[in-house]
């Protein structure tokens, strides 16, 4: 895949961690003179830091930041962001539109699966991690109906395999992945290419939270050992692997590709 094209790039969860690094690294690959980068996240100050990092490398890029609370975000919010960032833009001049669905939360890892049942908490969690993703993706598909699209869902092994203390996370990630797999079989790959990318275990706030809050001693010990021995991946490593996977483009639309795969 040739990434050096006139591109509309939107990254969610771009204020820190994997999302920040993917936004920064992908911004170095696209055509700087004719592309648009949109960063979504909760922290405006951290989004501005990501923007500053991008512009230090590619000052020609148009970079927009939007602080958004996904717990309450609706399709209309995403439609407004797309409309504002495309104002005056001729869509026919874009060669590709990319959305990186990265934003997400772990959920309460102190709970056993048997304890889940508070529907208010579940609705909030699923709104942040699933409903808002679907709402954004619908608007993205609508706006860029005539533009070749690349849709990347940041997945995880937990979307495929159950892990103790991760009932929230496993169920929502499995739901998200299946949605994007259905999208892939419904849409022609030459117009909408879908990738479910599992970035591996990364040294981030999420894995630190799991290490400290998990009710499962084995999970806690495993994450502590990886962190103490510095064998966890860094966000920079997995962002570079994602770019390598995209460049090689050996995957079929909808595939699940893990950091440790050979693609």
């Amino acid at each position: 895949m040739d990434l050096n094209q006139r591109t509309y790039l939107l990254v969610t969860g771009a204020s820190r961690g994997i999302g920040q690094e993917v936004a920064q690294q992908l911004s170095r690959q696209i055509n700087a003179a004719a592309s648009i980068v949109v960063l979504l996240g909760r922290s405006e100050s951290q989004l501005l830091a990501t923007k500053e990092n991008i512009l230090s490398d590619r000052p020609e890029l148009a970079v927009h930041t939007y602080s958004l609370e996904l717990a309450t975000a609706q399709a209309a919010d995403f439609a407004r962001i797309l409309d504002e960032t495309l104002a005056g833009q001729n869509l026919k001049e874009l060669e590709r539109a990319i959305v990186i669905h990265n934003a997400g939360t772990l959920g309460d890892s102190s709970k056993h699966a048997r304890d889940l049942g508070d529907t208010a908490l579940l609705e909030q969690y699923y709104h942040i991690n699933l409903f808002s993703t679907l709402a954004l993706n619908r608007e993205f598909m609508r706006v860029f109906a005539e533009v070749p699209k690349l849709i990347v869902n940041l997945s995880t092994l937990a979307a495929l395999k159950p892990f103790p203390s991760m009932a929230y996370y496993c169920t929502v990630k499995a739901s998200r992945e299946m949605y994007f797999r259905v999208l892939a079989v419904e849409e022609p790959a030459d117009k909408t290419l879908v990738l479910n990318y599992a970035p591996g275990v990364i040294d981030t706030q999420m894995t630190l939270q799991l290490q400290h809050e998990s009710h499962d001693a084995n999970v806690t010990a495993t994450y502590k050992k990886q962190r103490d021995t510095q064998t966890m991946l860094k966000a920079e490593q997995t962002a570079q692997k994602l770019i390598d996977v995209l460049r090689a483009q050996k995957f079929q639309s909808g595939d699940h590709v893990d950091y440790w795969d050979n693609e």
Side-chain angles (χ1 to χ4, degrees):
M1 179 186 297
D2 180 13
L3 294 172
N4 185 22
Q5 293 189 322
R6 298 186 299 275
T7 302
Y8 183 97
L9 170 63
L10 189 155
V11 182
T12 70
S15 57
R16 65 182 186 181
I18 300 171
Q20 181 184 50
E21 193 61 39
V22 168
Q24 292 171 176
Q25 291 203 32
L26 267 179
S27 294
R28 298 187 191 115
Q29 307 300 319
I30 61 180
N31 186 327
S35 295
I36 300 167
V37 177
V38 181
L39 310 173
L40 304 188
R42 294 184 64 184
S43 170
E44 180 64 26
S45 62
Q46 290 176 308
L47 288 172
L48 290 174
T50 306
K51 176 179 178 178
E52 183 177 341
N53 291 340
I54 290 171
L55 291 176
S56 67
D57 284 336
R58 311 298 295 279
E60 311 97 319
L61 276 172
V63 183
H64 306 270
T65 62
Y66 285 87
S67 178
L68 193 65
E69 179 50 71
L70 293 181
T72 56
Q74 302 294 323
D77 298 311
F78 299 117
R80 174 181 58 82
I81 290 169
L82 290 164
D83 288 345
E84 289 179 1
T85 53
L86 287 167
Q89 174 69 46
N90 183 352
L91 291 181
K92 293 181 180 179
E93 295 178 352
L94 291 173
E95 296 175 281
R96 180 181 289 126
I98 301 175
V99 60
I100 310 293
H101 292 289
N102 165 69
T105 61
L106 175 65
D108 188 349
S109 60
S110 71
K111 300 289 188 185
H112 290 76
R114 63 174 180 261
D115 298 324
L116 272 61
D118 186 323
T119 54
L121 288 177
L122 289 167
E123 286 172 4
Q124 181 184 52
Y125 182 74
Y126 268 74
H127 196 114
I128 293 170
N129 292 281
L130 179 64
F131 303 158
S132 65
T133 300
L134 271 59
L136 168 56
N137 205 69
R138 186 188 75 175
E139 295 307 308
F140 183 84
M141 294 289 292
R142 176 184 63 81
V143 170
F144 296 109
E146 304 303 321
V147 179
K149 293 170 287 297
L150 170 64
I151 297 175
V152 179
N153 172 45
L154 264 291
S155 188
T156 168
L157 181 60
L160 310 178
K161 178 181 177 179
F163 290 92
S165 81
M166 297 173 68
Y168 275 103
Y169 192 66
C170 287
T171 55
V172 84
K173 284 295 191 177
S175 298
R176 263 173 65 153
E177 174 136 346
M178 184 54 72
Y179 164 77
F180 285 109
R181 288 174 62 187
V182 171
L183 183 72
V185 298
E186 290 181 344
E187 305 294 331
D190 61 330
K191 297 184 182 299
T192 303
L193 184 64
V194 180
L195 171 65
N196 290 291
Y197 175 67
V201 178
I202 314 296
D203 188 2
T204 62
Q205 285 298 116
M206 182 180 289
T207 55
L208 187 62
Q209 177 188 347
L210 182 60
Q211 177 183 325
H212 290 319
E213 295 182 1
S214 173
H215 66 71
D216 187 86
N218 289 330
V219 169
T220 298
T222 297
Y223 278 75
K224 184 178 187 303
K225 180 179 179 181
Q226 290 188 35
R227 183 164 276 107
D228 290 347
T229 57
Q230 298 185 342
T231 53
M232 280 185 173
L233 294 169
K234 301 297 184 184
E236 296 88 344
Q237 292 174 277
T238 199
Q240 181 58 58
K241 178 60 180 284
L242 172 59
I243 289 171
D244 293 343
V245 168
L246 294 176
R247 282 177 173 160
Q249 199 178 336
K250 295 179 181 178
F251 62 92
Q252 300 297 310
S253 189
D255 278 357
H256 177 106
V257 177
D258 192 277
Y259 175 90
W260 298 106
D261 292 343
N262 294 322
E263 283 85 353

